[in-house]
Structures are given as structure tokens and as C-alpha cells.
Amino acid sequence: MSAKLLVVDDILANRRLMQAKLEAKYYSVLLAEDGQKALEIAHADQPGIILLDVMMPGMDGYEVCRRLKADPETAHIPVVMLTALNETADRVRGLEAGADDFLTKPVDDFSLMARIGALNRYNAVAHELRNREANGVRAGALSDDESLALERGANILLIDSREGVANAIREPLEQAGHRVLTLDEADQSTGRGTSHLDIILLSLSHQRFDPLRLCAHFRTTDATRALSIIVMANSSDREIAAQALELGASDIIQTPVVPEELLARVNTQTKRRRYVDILRRRVDRGLELSVVDQLTGLYNRRYMTNQLGLWMKRAAAGNIPLSVIAVDIDHFKQVNDKYGHEAGDRVLQQFAERIQENVRPKDIVCRPGGEEFLVIMPETTGELAGRAAERIRRSIAADRFALDGNGNDVIEVTVSAGVAAYQGEQDTVADILRRADAALYRAKTSGRNRVTNIAA
């Protein structure tokens, strides 16, 4: 998977060497010789990944990373920090500054490409969701609840057949506020959060099972496919670790595990996974908003027009009937004027519920606007649609409508309805809607609280 990468290093030879390695793998490479230049390029060119040297004069890599993550325009870009330092404190400091990964110089080619590959997989999902998401996450528009969700402790499934090692890994995680389950505990659990896992911690070395087969299973199972998988392996199991990354593991921790690094990587992976979840929910919500009227929960005009057109094509192709019912609340303006718009909204919500109670599951109930409603009735003749319209009319008139939440203040409501039917291949969406409106108008001018059927 190709990507655009930014390499930041104050030494020209290092920049050129890294550029050659990456371009040999068909990556597009941008270069920056200092922190300020890196910030400018990141903001202007939006690279997919930033490879950032730590030890630079002036602004060091830690400060560059903090600034990148503090800027809503660049906060989403994964940062891999590169340094000759090999102390745990240095790795943890980088991760706490917001880095997504940390590699020690001289950078091992396999480790570098493996980490880039894992980050590219994450980017592919996050980038697609950001492009489709209409609420501007990249502009920093996380809600308070969403921000809190990123900070909550993780639900972790820990898999290590060595009880003593597993307990040593578990203890610092639980002390930091994370919830940890072993495989046995997950099997015994009756829904106590096992469906809400964030991370799988999978040991690769000295196990009584095949960890790679388990890793592959997690990546091909619907319930676990989206989870972050952190694999733990000792330095002699490099080939196994490489295969785990190829199978979709998100990160690697070298064993014996250092608690500070473990916590930092768990926090990073948890936030990354939850960020993608937030984007997915926003996309789903955006799709819903595009077709659903938020007051009543019925379909809106956009969806109505689209579905009516599709059903008319099916009617033409199969020579099957299709009818629509246009429904309008009588004297609704008086409800708003006398009782206020809040009361009017309550009437509309109850009205929508009663219509839905009196149609079939396959009928499509829409609110194109105001007090106007339309029911699309597939495979239905005009005569049957007229009966359905009369059933709706009687249901509306039978019981009063509450104007407040307690039901103490009620009013009578009536409706008028017009029925029209599909007339053949020459018919258009505009035509059938026009006929339904004409029938509705005739019902209103004839005294209201009645149904006019011009399709029977």
C-alpha cells in the first residue's frame, strides 16, 4: 500500500538514506531538516505518516510531536519517532508526547516497514471515515463525551499461557485503571464487557498454542476484526513477530515487558481504536440524518422521492400496482398559534406514531415537510390504499392528542387524505405526487376529516 511519508532529520545523510529505503518500496517521500520545517510541511501537504528524529537542534522531536498533536489540522497524522536513545524512559516520553510508535537507530528495515504497514492499514480506515464524516473531526470538533471516551480505561483481553507472566503483565494494567480478562475469564463471563473489548494483548513466545493462528482468527472474525492487537515477543522471535504484523497485528512490544512502555502503548492503541469508532458512529449518524426526519423519525422528502422512483420502476417492470396516500393535519397552524410550537411538535410525533401503527411493515411512511405526510404503498391497488387511508383517518380522530408530557392537556385532531395510484410507464414521480396532492386538496375543500380517492 503506497503512501506519502515525511522524513524529519537534521542530518542530510540520514534523510537521504531513509528516502532511498522508502522510495525502493514505492512510497512518496517528503523531507524536512528541522522541526519548524516539519510543522509547515505537515500542515501544507498532510503526509500519511511522519518519521521524526528526536535529537535535533533547536526544537527537538518531542516538542515537534506535541505541536503536531495539538494542531487539529495535523493531530490525526501518525508519528513514528526515531532516535539513537534506547532507554525505556525515552520511548515512554515519546509515546506520552503523542507518538504512535518509537524505533531505535540504526533503524531495522524490517521493523520500519512493518510499523509503516500497520499504520497504513489504520490510515486507510480512518481516512475513508474522515472523508465521509460531515461533522469535522479533523477540525477538532470532538464532543465532551467523545473526548472522555478516548480517555477511559481500556477493556483488554490478555492471552498468555504462562500464569506467572500473565499476572505480571496484568498487575500494572489494572493499577492504571484498565480492565483485564484472560481467555478463561472471558469464556466464563456472561456479557460483562466481553463484547466491548478495545485491545487484545497476545504473547507470541513460549506458548502452548499457535499464536499466529489465533491472531489470524481474530482478524477474520466479525466480533474481533476491528480490535487493536498488540503482540508481545522476545528478540529471538522476530520472524513470528513479522508474521503477526502481516496478519494484522497493530503493535509489537518486546519482552520482558516494561510496565511504563506497556501502559503507553495500550493508551495509544486504545485512543486510536476509539477514534475510529467515533468516526464510524458519526458516519452512520450522518447517513441517518440524510434520510430521516429528526422530529418524527419518519423518512424525509429526499428518501421519499428516491424510494417512490424505485418502486415506480419495479411497478413498471413487473406490472404490479403501487399507490400513495397524501395526509395532512387539519388546521394545524391553529395548534401552533394557540398552544405553541412545542405542543405542535408533540402532536406531529404522536401523529407519526399512529400512522405507523396503521400501515404494513413494507409501507414507507414519510414526512416531506410541515404537517404533510406521505405513505408509499408497494404492491397495493388504489382501492386497498383508500381503505388504509380511511383506517388512518379513523385512528387519528378516535383518540385525543396530548400537548404536554403528562397527558393532562389534550386536543382533538383530524386529518384529510388523498389517494393516487401508479398509472403506467408514462407516469413520473412528479405526476403521482401531483395527483395525490389534488386528491388531498379535494378532501380539504369538501369539509376536511375525510379521504378522497381518485385511484379507485
Side-chain angles (χ1 to χ4, degrees), residues 75-267:
H76 64 282
I77 304 174
V79 175
V80 179
M81 300 192 78
L82 311 175
T83 182
L85 302 175
N86 197 25
E87 294 295 326
T88 298
D90 297 312
R91 296 200 299 271
V92 172
R93 183 183 174 192
L95 294 168
E96 289 178 345
D100 295 81
D101 215 325
F102 203 102
L103 292 173
T104 302
K105 292 181 177 180
V107 177
D108 177 80
D109 288 355
F110 160 73
S111 298
L112 174 66
M113 297 306 170
R115 299 303 171 95
I116 290 175
L119 290 172
N120 271 336
R121 290 192 291 272
Y122 162 75
N123 275 349
V125 176
H127 180 70
E128 174 65 19
L129 291 172
R130 277 196 301 272
N131 283 346
R132 295 168 59 191
E133 196 273 307
N135 293 325
V137 170
R138 281 184 60 187
L142 285 176
S143 69
D144 291 342
D145 288 343
E146 289 168 340
S147 297
L148 288 173
L150 294 181
E151 302 299 331
R152 284 199 306 269
N155 292 318
I156 301 170
L157 179 62
L158 172 59
I159 304 174
D160 194 310
S161 58
R162 301 162 297 173
E163 184 176 352
V165 174
N167 288 336
I169 295 172
R170 180 177 197 158
E171 184 177 352
L173 291 169
E174 291 185 334
Q175 288 179 350
H178 302 297
R179 180 170 180 260
V180 182
L181 291 173
T182 64
L183 268 181
D184 289 340
E185 290 168 342
D187 290 339
Q188 296 168 8
S189 175
T190 55
R192 295 183 299 116
T194 54
S195 61
H196 300 288
L197 288 172
D198 296 294
I199 289 177
I200 296 172
L201 273 177
L202 175 62
S203 290
L204 301 181
S205 304
H206 310 297
Q207 300 302 305
R208 294 194 296 268
F209 53 85
D210 184 346
L212 294 179
R213 188 173 300 279
L214 196 55
C215 187
H217 170 76
F218 289 138
R219 277 294 176 251
T220 55
T221 302
D222 289 342
T224 56
R225 182 178 291 117
L227 298 181
S228 294
I229 301 175
I230 302 177
V231 294
M232 301 173 288
N234 60 38
S235 57
S236 63
D237 284 329
R238 168 173 159 168
E239 290 187 7
I240 296 177
Q243 293 178 64
L245 286 172
E246 291 176 358
L247 290 170
S250 311
D251 200 357
I252 296 176
I253 298 178
Q254 186 170 318
T255 56
V257 171
V258 177
E260 293 83 2
E261 181 176 1
L262 173 66
L263 292 174
R265 291 192 182 277
V266 164
N267 288 337

